[in-house]
Amino acid sequence: MLKETFGLKKNAVLCVIKNINTGKILILRRTKEPHFGKCIPIGGKLKPCETPNQAVVRECEEETGLKLKDCKMRGMMIETSPIDFNWTNFIYYAEVKDENLKECKEGELIWIEKEELNEINMPDSDKFLYKYVFESDAFFVLDVEYDENIKIQSLTELIEGKTYEG
């Protein structure tokens, strides 16, 4: 019997962090599921009664030690699958001057050159996330549908109506 919560969307924040002194991007190489071994932006789940803005500041400080002062919401990514991998992600962008990070219990924090984003092991959907964060000033909404192996079946940017097939 399936749990009553199976398939319900979990709310999370993801923050693309750029160091304005070096131009480097902060990534987290996960040592936990989901996305074990993959590189993702900093983020995490919203707590009850917490706004996405509060969550992104809290998650970034908890995971990196960085105290973000000016985060900008850039978009949303809605992830749907037939397994229990269903998320509504609020996507943020922030710039920092500090590169000093604390140790993270979620994985390894790494500063990389923006050009290296094409070379790292990341979830396929994050390739689109970075594309929209860096190539558009507009707000975006990515709607991603996966199969049971978390392989993209379709991805649509809902505001512009662009669809990318798996």
Side-chain angles (χ1 to χ4, degrees):
M1 175 187 248
L2 293 176
K3 296 188 304 185
E4 287 184 32
T5 59
F6 181 87
L8 291 180
K9 298 274 191 259
K10 296 169 211 71
N11 293 311
V13 293
L14 294 171
C15 189
V16 175
I17 299 174
K18 178 181 177 181
N19 183 294
I20 58 174
N21 293 327
T22 65
K24 291 184 177 181
I25 308 302
L26 184 59
I27 58 168
L28 171 66
R29 183 177 293 128
R30 297 266 309 164
T31 54
K32 297 180 175 186
E33 291 295 346
H35 303 308
F36 177 85
K38 294 191 177 185
C39 299
I40 63 169
I42 306 305
K45 295 179 196 165
L46 273 72
K47 291 183 175 180
C49 303
E50 185 177 46
T51 69
N53 288 352
Q54 292 166 334
V56 74
V57 170
R58 176 187 53 75
E59 283 288 344
C60 287
E61 186 170 358
E62 285 177 3
E63 292 186 3
T64 70
L66 296 172
K67 297 179 187 213
L68 302 181
K69 293 179 175 53
D70 188 25
C71 299
K72 293 183 173 54
M73 185 186 280
R74 296 298 308 280
M76 293 177 66
M77 182 166 60
I78 303 159
E79 299 178 295
T80 305
S81 79
I83 61 171
D84 202 17
F85 184 86
N86 294 276
W87 297 88
T88 300
N89 299 285
F90 299 91
I91 312 300
Y92 285 82
Y93 174 75
E95 295 179 340
V96 298
K97 295 179 182 178
D98 189 6
E99 278 197 337
N100 297 318
L101 305 171
K102 73 177 201 175
E103 193 169 318
C104 181
K105 64 182 180 181
E106 302 289 326
E108 179 185 7
L109 296 168
I110 308 167
W111 289 104
I112 65 170
E113 299 291 339
K114 184 177 170 186
E115 295 75 29
E116 293 177 83
L117 286 171
N118 296 326
E119 302 164 16
I120 62 173
N121 181 19
M122 73 172 83
D124 290 338
S125 57
D126 287 8
K127 295 172 186 171
F128 291 92
L129 181 151
Y130 284 113
K131 174 187 177 335
Y132 278 95
V133 166
F134 289 123
E135 294 179 11
S136 172
D137 289 331
F139 189 83
F140 65 91
V141 179
L142 299 177
D143 186 18
V144 187
E145 291 188 31
Y146 300 100
D147 65 13
E148 61 279 352
N149 297 310
I150 311 301
K151 182 176 181 328
I152 294 176
Q153 297 303 294
S154 71
L155 185 145
T156 303
E157 197 296 314
L158 296 177
I159 294 175
E160 294 180 4
K162 292 181 183 176
T163 298
Y164 307 88
E165 293 299 321

